[in-house]
Amino acid sequence: MRPSSLQGNARSTPVSIDLTGQGRIAGRLPVAVVDIGSNSVRLVIYEGNSRAPVQLFNEKVLSGLGKGLARTGRLDDKSVASALAALTRFRALAELAGCTEIYPLATAAAREASNGAEFIEAATGAIGRDIIILSGADEARYAAEGVVAGFFAPNGIVGDLGGGSLELVEVSSGRFGTGLTTPLGGLRLRDLSGGDIAKARAIADGEIGGSALAGACEGKSFYAVGGTWRNLAKLHMEQTRYPLQVMQGYRVAVAELADFLDKVATGDPEKLPGIEAVSRSRRSLLPYGAVTLQSVIANLKPMDIVVSAYGVREGYLHALLPEAEVEKDALLVTARELSILRSRSPIHNEELVRFASDTFHALGIDETPEDERLRDAACLLADVSWRAHPDYRGGQALSFTVHAALPALDHAGRTFLGLTNYFRYEGHFEQGMMPDLERLIPPRMLQRARVLASLFRVVFLLTAGIPGVLGQLRWVQDPRGGFTLAVPANLADLVGERPRARFQQFAKVVERTLRIEVL
């Protein structure tokens, strides 16, 4: 987008302003996905199509296209009018944002209604693009693509619950099998059962228990996609006082869900504790989402339920990426972008990645591949809060990191990154800003956060966050025992009292004999 000259009063000088802002990745062109579902019509504008797409704008309208479809076989006239009005507005918004591509996707309701073709023709005119009509297999595939895009090496079954259907597909190590579709969307299940929960449960058990995937998730995870299941998770978080309000990657063992799902399925949604966390328009379908999830647990036999905020929209974009982009680690891609957008020097952060790796290897600190990728991400995010007031950098770093839109990361990993940054700024290992957060991280990872934070405290005192220093430092085995960090003579003046004190704090945390010397 071209810079704009904004003229103030007659005596002011025109100022050139880049309307895209410096908080966006340079050269990236926005794209939009319009999801025409059975319950809602949604527009999501992304900064661009990349390995880790970031939302610029998100709006939904609960048109309810699938309402009554199971009984009448037709799309409701009022719902159609609502959807077409939304699509007209969405086209204007996407064009205003400068989207290079608009991908309108239609799912179960438009696919199956007797007046679906008529609606598709009108929707094409409203959005100004040919509507891409997804089959049930397509929906399953793109939901699986979305989970692959949003998780690191997912393994289990993906279930995408919409208003008109539930798609199921196996996924393992970035690969997925043939999907199947069932008529278990919230709106349709309510219609088919006539509002009778016992009948809804029997329908769900018949569809899922009789499918080819029965028992196929034993010992694996079930990845729950779709607004109704996300709202169930939000309600569960509220009732259990979960300390991190992030949907993506929220994981619950099936044993912990039994009582909760039973109460949601059989009770009045309006009287459930914590129901205020769920929008009113979503509450009526919660019992049917709960019944369907109960059937998933009983018939597919997963060990846990993992919530995915990534779904068909992200999966469709992911499928368009070249293979070289798909193979990248989405967490590290996002961390690098945040480093570019928020840190003093992305080059220094890349140097920190290498220096931290050399340090852990030299000192013999054991790491798994997952440990290594989290360490790299922490290094890239180590300086994202430098602009905050010094008294609040730790708190801001913690809040920003654990709540950032970071894909391919579970909640323990989020906590590790957040606490590493917090400890780095605060200089101690206690935090009360987010009570109970430490319960999400195992003791081993908590200790690793302390180790890495202590190393950061040494590094940023030595370098002031400026590149060109870390590459000149090297670890050597000390004949007196332990290890020495060798500093070249040209950098001798950087080794003062405070860096030495912090270096000894690091030595204490890693439980090694360490020295820092000019050699």
Side-chain angles (χ1 to χ4, degrees):
M1 191 174 293
R2 290 184 178 180
S4 171
S5 291
L6 301 184
Q7 181 70 47
N9 59 46
R11 291 176 296 176
S12 66
T13 302
V15 178
S16 180
I17 298 176
D18 183 355
L19 296 182
T20 61
Q22 294 184 17
R24 287 166 62 176
I25 298 297
R28 191 161 286 174
L29 301 176
V31 298
V33 179
V34 179
D35 188 351
I36 307 169
S38 298
N39 193 31
S40 65
V41 180
R42 184 187 293 268
L43 165 72
V44 182
I45 300 175
Y46 298 89
E47 182 185 31
N49 189 14
S50 67
R51 182 61 183 87
V54 178
Q55 293 184 8
L56 284 178
F57 184 82
N58 186 333
E59 180 178 311
K60 75 172 182 291
V61 176
L62 292 173
S63 297
L65 282 171
K67 183 171 57 180
L69 180 62
R71 297 192 310 272
T72 68
R74 290 179 53 83
L75 303 177
D76 177 75
D77 290 343
K78 288 184 178 179
S79 297
V80 167
S82 170
L84 293 177
L87 292 174
T88 300
R89 168 172 160 76
F90 291 170
R91 176 181 181 177
L93 287 167
E95 291 175 351
L96 182 66
C99 290
T100 57
E101 298 289 349
I102 303 174
Y103 302 105
L105 312 177
T107 54
R111 187 173 64 231
E112 299 168 4
S114 62
N115 58 341
E118 178 184 338
F119 167 72
I120 290 296
E121 183 178 358
T124 298
I127 196 64
R129 302 289 193 283
D130 290 337
I131 305 297
I132 303 164
I133 303 175
L134 303 181
S135 67
D138 290 334
E139 287 189 67
R141 173 199 168 189
Y142 290 128
E145 287 263 17
V147 168
V148 169
F151 288 86
F152 184 70
N155 182 32
I157 292 179
V158 176
D160 182 11
L161 182 67
S165 60
L166 167 66
E167 279 69 42
L168 299 170
V169 58
E170 288 184 281
V171 62
S172 177
S173 302
R175 308 293 178 188
F176 43 87
T178 302
L180 60 90
T181 187
T182 67
L184 298 178
L187 289 173
R188 179 176 291 186
L189 186 57
R190 183 174 64 184
D191 290 344
L192 289 173
S193 65
D196 184 325
I197 289 297
K199 187 174 180 181
R201 180 175 284 107
I203 293 170
D205 284 340
E207 291 287 342
I208 299 174
S211 76
L213 294 178
C217 204
E218 192 164 2
K220 302 176 183 178
S221 296
F222 180 82
Y223 297 89
V225 179
T228 297
W229 279 341
R230 285 196 299 272
N231 278 285
L232 277 176
K234 186 181 295 185
L235 182 61
H236 188 260
M237 283 179 168
E238 194 72 16
Q239 292 188 2
T240 59
R241 299 183 182 276
Y242 192 73
L244 185 57
Q245 300 299 304
V246 175
M247 283 293 106
Q248 175 68 9
Y250 181 54
R251 183 184 301 267
V252 188
V254 294
E256 297 177 30
L257 285 172
D259 289 343
F260 168 77
L261 291 176
D262 189 57
K263 289 176 181 176
V264 175
T266 59
D268 180 353
E270 296 298 330
K271 295 181 180 179
L272 293 170
I275 194 61
E276 297 80 9
V278 179
S279 65
R280 290 189 180 277
S281 60
R282 290 285 192 178
R283 295 176 189 177
S284 64
L285 294 183
L286 289 179
Y288 301 95
V291 163
T292 305
L293 192 55
Q294 285 178 318
S295 185
V296 163
I297 292 171
N299 293 289
L300 302 188
K301 304 187 183 306
M303 66 177 182
D304 55 26
I305 307 299
V306 184
V307 178
S308 174
Y310 284 58
V312 169
R313 293 181 296 274
E314 292 77 18
Y316 186 85
L317 292 180
H318 186 261
L320 298 176
L321 292 174
E323 190 64 29
E325 191 72 12
V326 168
E327 290 176 356
K328 294 179 181 177
D329 187 326
L331 170 62
L332 299 183
V333 168
T334 305
R336 282 195 165 88
E337 291 179 356
L338 289 172
S339 176
I340 291 168
L341 296 173
R342 295 182 63 102
S343 67
R344 284 171 288 188
S345 171
I347 296 174
H348 177 272
N349 295 342
E350 295 289 352
E351 292 177 350
L352 180 55
V353 168
R354 292 188 291 272
F355 180 73
S357 176
D358 291 345
T359 299
F360 275 54
H361 292 156
L363 302 187
I365 299 173
D366 292 334
E367 292 186 291
T368 66
E370 176 66 5
D371 292 336
E372 292 179 359
R373 67 188 291 267
L374 288 176
R375 168 172 47 73
D376 288 350
C379 292
L380 294 167
L381 296 170
D383 207 30
V384 294
S385 296
W386 73 275
R387 282 187 178 274
H389 187 284
D391 293 344
Y392 298 98
R393 282 180 187 147
Q396 186 186 84
L398 175 61
S399 180
F400 173 82
T401 308
V402 298
H403 294 118
L406 294 166
L409 185 67
D410 61 17
H411 284 200
R414 285 182 176 276
T415 304
F416 170 81
L417 296 179
L419 290 178
T420 298
N421 235 342
Y422 180 85
F423 296 154
R424 169 258 168 116
Y425 281 114
E426 295 298 315
H428 59 76
F429 301 136
E430 303 296 330
Q431 73 86 24
M433 181 184 171
M434 296 181 67
D436 299 327
L437 186 66
E438 285 89 343
R439 86 187 208 204
L440 305 184
I441 185 172
R444 178 179 176 277
M445 286 183 71
L446 182 60
Q447 176 59 16
R448 284 180 54 78
R450 293 167 176 157
V451 169
L452 198 53
S454 298
L455 181 63
F456 288 174
R457 287 178 60 75
V458 174
V459 164
F460 280 93
L461 262 190
L462 284 174
T463 67
I466 305 301
V469 175
L470 289 176
Q472 300 185 58
L473 308 182
R474 58 190 177 89
W475 287 98
V476 296
Q477 188 97 39
D478 196 310
R480 296 166 292 181
F483 302 87
T484 292
L485 181 62
V487 179
N490 63 300
L491 299 177
D493 291 345
L494 295 176
V495 184
E497 181 179 344
R498 290 197 68 206
R500 288 187 182 278
R502 285 195 180 179
F503 189 81
Q504 289 311 311
Q505 291 171 356
F506 172 64
K508 183 177 180 180
V509 172
V510 296
E511 299 179 330
R512 304 287 196 280
T513 299
L514 302 179
R515 301 172 182 85
I516 181 170
E517 295 183 2
V518 177
L519 298 176

